[in-house]
C-alpha cells in the first residue's frame, strides 16, 4: 500500500483563532521544520463528515493543548477569518513551508476565480501552494470545477477556455496566470459512516460517486478521520486508467489522537506503510514543539528505514496529463531530485517554452536555483541524446536557448544583483538577471553598467558575448568591465575565472562564453550612472548612403560621452526613407546635451524629435510578460571600421531593396577600441560600427548582405544567424579561433555547449 510519496507532516490552523496566534503558529511550524500549514474553509453547507462549519472537535489532549486551542462547540464562536486572506498573510510571513487550503468553498468562490487566485498566490509564494476543493451540494459541480480550475491554471493551453457544463458555463475565459509550480489539487473523501464497519462496503453506503471522482481527477485525496476507503480509491484510480500512486493521500486528524508521542509516531508510521498515507495534518491544538521534536523525526526515520528494507522508491507522482506529453530521448525518471523541472504538459511550460524570437517546444526545462542544482542539471543533460539550450534572458539571436524536444537549462533564478564594494564599484550580477533589473538595482547607488539597449536582454547571454550599449564609446563593451566570472563547467565543476584563476577560460568567457561553460554570476566594475540625455530624432534619409556617411562622421567626431544608434525599416511605398537616430549623451545638463545633439540634427531635415534627461534605468525598458517566440527572423551582422562610401552604398541596397525589415547601426569605437584585440575573445576592436540586418528570409537577406559584408572586418556573433562556415572565421580571427578551440578542448572537451556559434563543428 505504500506508494513511496515523500512523508510530510503539518498542522491545520483554525480560522476562528486569534489572528496573531494563527500567524505565530504558522511561523512556529516553519521554524520547527514541519512541512506544511493548512487551513480548512468553513462551508456554507454542512461539512462532508457531518461537522458543523468551522467547528473542530476536541483533539489530542495528551499531546497537550496549545495556547490557541480552538473554541469548542460549547464556547462562543468567533466568526472565522477569510481563508484566502489568511493564507496570503501566512505566505508573506513564512518562507519555505508549504501552504494548503482545504475545502475551498465553490459556492462563495467560483472555480475560475479560484484558479486565478491560486495561480497568483502560488507565484507570490514561490510555488508553495496546494489547494483542496470543498464539497458542493451538487456532486456534478465538483467535476466541472476541477476542469475549470485546471483550465485556468494551464496558462499556455488553447485559448479561449470554454466549458459547457451542466453547472458551469465558461465562454472565452482567459487562462493564467501560470502558477510557479504544478499546484496539486486535493479532493475530500468523506469518512465512511460509523455503521459501515466493513471497508469493502463503505462506498456503497456513502458517496460512491465521490470515490470515482477522486480516483479519476484528483492529485490527492483528503481522508478525514480514517483510512477505511483507500482500497476502493485504488480501484477507482485503476478504473480511470491511472496508477493508484498518482493519487496522494492526506489524513486530516480531527479526532482524538493516540496519547503519547511514541504511540502517535507508531500510528502515523503504520498509516504511511500500510495505508499509503504520506501527508498528515494535525489539529491546531497539538503541542507543536513536542510533535516536531518527538513525533516527526520518529515517523520519518521509521518510514525511511522500512522503505529502504522493502526497496520502495520515494518520489512525487507525475500526473498522467503531464506524462502523455513527454518527448523521446529524455530519461524523465533520471531528472535530478530537487531540481525544479517543467515538462511540456505542466502549467508553467507555456511561459518557458519560447524565447523572445524563437518558438520552441523543448522536452524538459530545468530551472536550477543553486550551483549544485545547476551542476546536477548539466550532469543530467550530458546523458541525454537531445539538444541542450542554455538560457539566461531568452533574447538570443544567434544562440537558440530553446529547442524542439531537447533540454533547456533556464538560469532565471540566478538573478541577484549585489553591490560588493561601493568604493571600487564592484558589483556581482547573476546570469539570469535582465539588464533592466540591473539598471534598477544600481540606480540608488548612482551606478550603472554599460549593457545593451533593451532591458529584457539577459545578463548571461550578453556578458559572455560582448555587450554594445548606450555607454559603449565611453565605457566599452560589457565584457570589458567584467573582472571575474563564476561558472559551472560541462562536467559539473564550479570554478571562478579571473585574470589570476583559469585566465584562459576568463579570456574566452568574454566574447565566446556560450561555447565554454555556464556562467552563474559576473563580478563587474560598474561606472558612474547619473542621469543622462537621451534623444530620439527622426530624420529624412531620402539619400540613404549619403545620410549614413554623414551620421558616421557625426559619431566619429563626437566626444566619448556620446553614443548613437541608428535604425531604419523597409521604406513604405511612395514614402521617402526615414531614419530614427537615438543618441545617448552622458550628461545631466540640458545645454551640454543639446550641444552634442546639434551635429546629429544637422545631418538631414529633422522630421520629429524627443529629448529627455533620464536615469539610465528609465532608458533600459523592462521586459513585458513571458516570451512568445515572435518572428523567427534571420539576422546578419557586420563590423566595419568606418561608415565609408562603399559601406554606405551597400547598406543603401539592403535598406531600399527591402531585404531587411530592420536595419540598425550601433556606434562602437571609443573605449571599445582602447582594448587590445587579444585581451578578450571579442577581437574586432578596430571596428567603429556594428551593423545588423534582420529579415524574414535568408534567400532575400543574404545576397544583399553579402555585398555589404565584403567591406566588413568581421561580425558580432550575437546578431549573426548565417550557418555558412565562413561566418565563424568572421566572428573570430584566426589566432582568436585557435586559442578558443584550445580553451574549448580543455574546459568542454565533449562539446556540450554548442547552441551559440559553436567553435567546434
Ligand atoms: C531585442 C534585443 C535587443 C538586443 N540588444 C542588444 C544590445 O543592445 N547590445 C548587444 O550587445 N546585444 C543585444 N542583443 C543581443 C543579445 O545580447 C544576445 O542575443 C544575447 O545572447 C542575449 O542574452 P540572453 O541571456 O537574453 O539570451 P539567451 O537566449 O538566454 O541566451 C543566448 C545564448 O547565450 C548563451 N548563454 C546564455 N546564458 C548563458 C550563461 N549564463 N552562460 C554562458 N552562456 C550563456 C547560450 O549559448 C544561449 O543560447 C539584443 C537582442 C535582442 C533580441
Amino acid at each position: 500500500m505504500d506508494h513511496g510519496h515523500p512523508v510530510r507532516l503539518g498542522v491545520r490552523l483554525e480560522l476562528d483563532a486569534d489572528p496573531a496566534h494563527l500567524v505565530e503558529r504558522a511561523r512556529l511550524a516553519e521554524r520547527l521544520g514541519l512541512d506544511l500549514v493548512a487551513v480548512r474553509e468553513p462551508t456554507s453547507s454542512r461539512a462532508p463528515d457531518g461537522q458543523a462549519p468551522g467547528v473542530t472537535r476536541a483533539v489530542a489532549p495528551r499531546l497537550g493543548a496549545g495556547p490557541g486551542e480552538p473554541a469548542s462547540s460549547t464556547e462562543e464562536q468567533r466568526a472565522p477569518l477569510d481563508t484566502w486572506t489568511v493564507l496570503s498573510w501566512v505566505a508573506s510571513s513564512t518562507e519555505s513551508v508549504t501552504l494548503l487550503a482545504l475545502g475551498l468553498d465553490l459556492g462563495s468562490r467560483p472555480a475560475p476565480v479560484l484558479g486565478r487566485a491560486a495561480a497568483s498566490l502560488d507565484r507570490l509564494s514561490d510555488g508553495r501552494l496546494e489547494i483542496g476543493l470543498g464539497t458542493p451540494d451538487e456532486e456534478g459541480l465538483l467535476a466541472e470545477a476541477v476542469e475549470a480550475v485546471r483550465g485556468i491554471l494551464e496558462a499556455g493551453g488553447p485559448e479561449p477556455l470554454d466549458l459547457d457544463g451542466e453547472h458551469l458555463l465558461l465562454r472565452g475565459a482567459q487562462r493564467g496566470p501560470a502558477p510557479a509550480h504544478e499546484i496539486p489539487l486535493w479532493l475530500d473523501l468523506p469518512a465512511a459512516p460509523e455503521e459501515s464497519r466493513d471497508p469493502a462496503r463503505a462506498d456503497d453506503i456513502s458517496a460512491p460517486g465521490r470515490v470515482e471522482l477522486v480516483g479519476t481527477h484528483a492529485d490527492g485525496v483528503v481522508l478525514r478521520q480514517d483510512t477505511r476507503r483507500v482500497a476502493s480509491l485504488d480501484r477507482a484510480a485503476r478504473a480511470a486508467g491511472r496508477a493508484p500512486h498518482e493519487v496522494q493521500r492526506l489524513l486530516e486528524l480531527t479526532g482524538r489522537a493516540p496519547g503519547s508521542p511514541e504511540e502517535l509516531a507508531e500510528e502515523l508510521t503504520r498509516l504511511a506503510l500500510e495505508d499509503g498515507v504520506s501527508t498528515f495534518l494535525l489539529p491546531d491544538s497539538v503541542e507543536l514543539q513536542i510533535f516536531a521534536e518527538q513525533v516527526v523525526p520518529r515517523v520519518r526515520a521509521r518510514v525511511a528505514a522500512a522503505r529502504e528494507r522493502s526497496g520502495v522508491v520515494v518520489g512525487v507522482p507525475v500526473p498522467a496529463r503531464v506524462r502523455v506529453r513527454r518527448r523521446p530521448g529524455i530519461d524523465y525518471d533520471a531528472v535530478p531530485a530537487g531540481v525544479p523541472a517543467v515538462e511540456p504538459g505542466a502549467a508553467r511550460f507555456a511561459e518557458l517554452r519560447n524565447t523572445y524570437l524563437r518558438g520552441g517546444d523543448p522536452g524538459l526545462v530545468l530551472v536550477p536555483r543553486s550551483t549544485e542544482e545547476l551542476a546536477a542539471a548539466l550532469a543530467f543533460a550530458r546523458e541525454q541524446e537531445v539538444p541542450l539550450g542554455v538560457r539566461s534572458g531568452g533574447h538570443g539571436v544567434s544562440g537558440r536557448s530553446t529547442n524542439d524536444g531537447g533540454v533547456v537549462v533556464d538560469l532565471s533564478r540566478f538573478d541577484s544583483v549585489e553591490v560588493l564594494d561601493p568604493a571600487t564599484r564592484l558589483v556581482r550580477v547573476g546570469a539570469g538577471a535582465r539588464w533592466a533589473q540591473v539598471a534598477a538595482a544600481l540606480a540608488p547607488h548612482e551606478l550603472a553598467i554599460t549593457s545593451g539597449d533593451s532591458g529584457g536582454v539577459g545578463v548571461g547571454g550578453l556578458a559572455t558575448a560582448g555587450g554594445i550599449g548606450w555607454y559603449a564609446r565611453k565605457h566599452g563593451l560589457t565584457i570589458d568591465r567584467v573582472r571575474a566570472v563564476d561558472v559551472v563547467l560541462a562536467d559539473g565543476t564550479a570554478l571562478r575565472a579571473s585574470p589570476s584563476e583559469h585566465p584562459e577560460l576568463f579570456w574566452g568567457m568574454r566574447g565566446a562564453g556560450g561555447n565554454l561553460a555556464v556562467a552563474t554570476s559576473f563580478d563587474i566594475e560598474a561606472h558612474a550612472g547619473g542621469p543622462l540625455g537621451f534623444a530620439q530624432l527622426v530624420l529624412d534619409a531620402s539619400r540613404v548612403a549619403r545620410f549614413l556617411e554623414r551620421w558616421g562622421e557625426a559619431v566619429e567626431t563626437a566626444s566619448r560621452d556620446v553614443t548613437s544608434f541608428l535604425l531604419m525599416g523597409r521604406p513604405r511605398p511612395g514614402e521617402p526613407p526615414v531614419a530614427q537616430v537615438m543618441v545617448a549623451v552622458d550628461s545631466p545638463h540640458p545645454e551640454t546635451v543639446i550641444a552634442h545633439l546639434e551635429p546629429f540634427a544637422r545631418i538631414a531635415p529633422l522630421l520629429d524629435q524627443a529629448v529627455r534627461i533620464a536615469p539610465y534605468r528609465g532608458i533600459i525598458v523592462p521586459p513585458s510578460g513571458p516570451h512568445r517566440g515572435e518572428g523567427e527572423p534571420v539576422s546578419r551582422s557586420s563590423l566595419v571600421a568606418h561608415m565609408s562610401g562603399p559601406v554606405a552604398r551597400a547598406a543603401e541596397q539592403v535598406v531600399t531593396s527591402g531585404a531587411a525589415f530592420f536595419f540598425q547601426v550601433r556606434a562602437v569605437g571609443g573605449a571599445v577600441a582602447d582594448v587590445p584585440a587579444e585581451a578578450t575573445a571579442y577581437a574586432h576592436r578596430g571596428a567603429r560600427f556594428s551593423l545588423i540586418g534582420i529579415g524574414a528570409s535568408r534567400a532575400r537577406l543574404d545576397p544583399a548582405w553579402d555585398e555589404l559584408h565584403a567591406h566588413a572586418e568581421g561580425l558580432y556573433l550575437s546578431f549573426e544567424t548565417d550557418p555558412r562556415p565562413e561566418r565563424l572565421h568572421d566572428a573570430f580571427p584566426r589566432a582568436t579561433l585557435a586559442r578558443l578551440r584550445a580553451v574549448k578542448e580543455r574546459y568542454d572537451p565533449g562539446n556540450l555547449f554548442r547552441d551559440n556559434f559553436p567553435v567546434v563543428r
Side-chain angles (χ1 to χ4, degrees):
M1 274 301 220
D2 178 10
H3 292 315
H5 302 144
V7 171
R8 304 186 304 168
L9 300 110
V11 61
R12 194 198 61 238
L13 306 174
E14 298 303 330
L15 291 169
D16 54 1
D18 172 60
H21 159 76
L22 201 147
V23 174
E24 186 37 48
R25 295 282 281 176
R27 286 201 186 117
L28 180 62
E30 180 172 85
R31 276 203 304 280
L32 291 170
L34 295 190
D35 300 292
L36 68 168
V37 291
V39 292
R40 173 169 281 282
E41 182 153 79
T43 50
S44 43
S45 56
R46 290 188 72 75
D49 60 355
Q51 281 177 229
V55 177
T56 312
R57 295 176 184 168
V59 280
R62 281 208 265 156
L63 270 176
E69 184 173 357
S72 78
S73 51
T74 53
E75 291 174 25
E76 191 188 334
Q77 291 295 291
R78 207 193 292 262
L81 297 169
D82 170 64
T83 312
W84 213 257
T85 310
V86 166
L87 216 61
S88 306
W89 193 271
V90 168
S92 70
S93 310
T94 54
E95 283 176 3
S96 56
V97 74
T98 295
L99 311 159
L100 173 57
L102 288 176
L104 289 165
D105 181 18
L106 293 163
S108 60
R109 193 179 293 101
V113 176
L114 172 59
R116 240 181 283 292
S120 306
L121 186 52
D122 192 54
R123 287 289 279 265
L124 290 166
S125 66
D126 210 7
R128 290 194 280 139
L129 183 70
E130 301 186 8
I131 54 172
L133 302 190
T135 312
D137 292 336
E138 290 284 352
E139 194 75 22
L141 170 59
L142 191 55
E144 290 174 19
V146 169
E147 197 180 337
V149 170
R150 286 239 169 86
I152 295 289
L153 292 176
E154 194 190 348
E159 296 276 11
L161 171 61
D162 292 328
L163 180 72
D164 205 350
E166 205 180 310
H167 307 273
L168 282 178
L169 182 66
L170 294 186
R171 284 270 184 272
Q174 191 188 2
R175 296 177 193 262
H181 84 310
E182 207 60 23
I183 300 178
L185 201 69
W186 297 83
L187 296 182
D188 287 337
L189 192 59
E194 288 299 317
E195 61 271 24
S196 153
R197 290 282 162 223
D198 177 3
R201 292 208 52 237
D203 303 331
D204 303 339
I205 296 167
S206 162
R210 182 69 60 76
V211 179
E212 194 188 324
L213 187 70
V214 172
T216 310
H217 293 293
D219 297 313
V221 61
V222 182
L223 301 160
R224 307 194 70 194
Q225 321 270 45
D226 70 47
T227 57
R228 277 177 290 159
R229 311 180 82 173
V230 290
S232 52
L233 192 64
D234 282 359
R235 280 198 298 278
R238 279 200 199 90
R242 304 171 77 195
H245 78 267
E246 288 181 37
V247 186
Q248 299 189 63
R249 291 165 190 179
L250 181 156
L251 181 63
E252 189 181 3
L253 292 172
T254 54
R256 179 182 292 271
S260 70
E262 172 54 28
E263 285 169 311
L264 183 56
E266 208 36 49
E267 178 62 3
L268 299 188
T269 304
R270 187 191 68 72
L271 288 164
L273 298 176
E274 291 179 12
D275 290 343
V277 176
S278 55
T279 304
F280 297 94
L281 272 189
L282 273 287
D284 193 24
S285 57
V286 74
E287 178 50 65
L288 278 188
Q289 187 131 5
I290 295 176
F291 179 62
E293 290 174 359
Q294 298 186 33
V295 179
V296 172
R298 289 181 199 182
V299 178
R300 285 193 179 132
R302 288 172 194 177
V303 172
R307 286 176 171 175
E308 176 95 37
R309 282 195 301 277
S310 59
V312 170
V313 181
V314 183
V316 180
V318 177
R321 64 179 183 282
V322 175
R323 274 205 321 275
V324 292
R325 294 188 49 197
R326 288 181 163 180
R327 305 288 297 268
I330 298 178
D331 183 359
Y332 289 91
D333 292 334
V335 170
V339 179
V342 182
E343 298 187 22
R348 269 199 80 196
F349 186 70
E351 63 175 35
L352 290 174
R353 64 188 298 173
N354 302 320
T355 62
Y356 183 73
L357 293 172
R358 318 272 172 217
D361 197 8
L364 182 69
V365 182
L366 296 172
V367 193
R369 296 161 296 188
S370 63
T371 303
E372 294 71 31
E373 287 188 357
L374 172 58
L378 293 178
F380 170 81
R382 246 184 359 247
E383 299 304 318
Q384 312 309 308
E385 289 168 7
V386 294
L388 166 68
V390 175
R391 181 187 302 163
S392 288
H395 273 59
V397 182
S398 57
R400 288 191 168 255
S401 58
T402 189
N403 51 43
D404 184 10
V407 174
V408 168
V409 174
D410 179 301
L411 294 157
S412 53
R413 300 298 297 269
F414 291 77
D415 64 346
S416 59
V417 181
E418 192 187 347
V419 177
L420 296 178
D421 182 0
T424 58
R425 296 172 171 166
L426 199 62
V427 177
R428 182 163 297 161
V429 186
R434 312 287 193 94
W435 287 106
Q437 189 188 332
V438 178
L442 297 186
H445 304 273
E446 297 192 352
L447 295 176
I449 295 173
T450 179
S451 53
D453 61 358
S454 166
V457 170
V459 168
L462 182 131
T464 50
I468 300 172
W470 295 121
Y471 289 108
R473 297 184 72 245
K474 184 158 186 181
H475 295 298
L477 302 175
T478 309
I479 56 170
D480 299 338
R481 306 197 64 91
V482 173
R483 301 294 173 252
V485 195
D486 286 307
V487 305
V488 175
L489 301 180
D491 69 3
T493 308
L495 54 81
R496 164 165 275 244
S498 71
S500 57
E501 303 144 287
H502 302 276
E504 279 301 283
L505 179 63
F506 182 57
W507 169 83
M509 286 305 292
R510 293 169 301 148
N515 260 281
L516 303 174
V518 178
T520 53
S521 70
F522 302 79
D523 287 3
I524 301 180
E525 188 180 329
H527 48 80
L532 66 170
F534 188 71
Q536 288 166 290
L537 313 175
V538 180
L539 294 150
D540 179 342
S542 304
R543 296 169 63 203
V544 177
R546 179 76 196 116
F547 177 86
L548 291 173
E549 274 186 89
R550 294 194 63 184
W551 174 79
E553 284 158 18
V555 168
E556 291 204 52
T557 50
S559 101
R560 286 187 173 198
D561 286 339
V562 180
T563 295
S564 178
F565 292 0
L566 171 151
L567 177 63
M568 295 182 78
R570 253 183 212 134
R572 294 198 184 140
E575 289 183 26
V578 292
Q580 206 188 119
V581 169
M582 278 81 71
V583 190
V585 181
D586 189 12
S587 168
H589 305 298
E591 343 47 86
T592 312
V593 173
I594 298 295
H596 282 302
L597 291 177
E598 271 168 7
F600 291 92
R602 282 199 300 265
I603 296 172
L606 188 58
L607 305 176
D608 200 359
Q609 58 172 309
V611 186
R612 61 195 163 118
I613 306 286
Y616 183 56
R617 66 176 296 185
I619 296 172
I620 304 296
V621 183
S624 61
H627 296 314
R628 298 186 186 281
E630 285 150 308
E632 294 283 343
V634 294
S635 175
R636 296 293 307 270
S637 160
S638 293
L639 290 168
V640 301
H642 306 285
M643 287 301 290
S644 62
V647 170
R649 284 191 290 281
E652 176 168 355
Q653 271 306 306
V654 171
V655 172
T656 54
S657 68
F661 59 74
F662 175 101
F663 174 76
Q664 192 182 42
V665 192
R666 296 162 182 236
V668 204
V672 177
D674 292 345
V675 177
E678 66 282 4
T680 65
Y682 176 108
H684 296 293
R685 297 291 178 164
R688 267 37 178 192
F689 298 94
S690 165
L691 280 54
I692 304 151
I694 298 185
S697 92
R698 190 162 302 290
R700 280 199 77 189
L701 182 59
D702 279 346
W705 199 272
D706 286 349
E707 297 279 320
L708 168 59
H709 195 65
H711 308 284
E713 290 196 353
L715 62 82
Y716 174 34
L717 69 81
S718 279
F719 288 113
E720 183 62 65
T721 64
D722 180 2
R724 286 174 288 180
E726 51 267 40
R727 296 293 86 84
L728 182 62
H729 300 275
D730 292 338
F732 306 113
R734 182 191 295 267
T736 308
L737 186 58
R739 193 172 164 187
L740 255 181
R741 285 178 164 159
V743 181
K744 175 88 175 168
E745 185 55 38
R746 175 162 175 208
Y747 291 97
D748 181 22
N751 199 17
L752 182 65
F753 306 121
R754 52 180 186 272
D755 77 325
N756 191 9
F757 241 78
V759 296
V760 180
R761 297 198 187 238

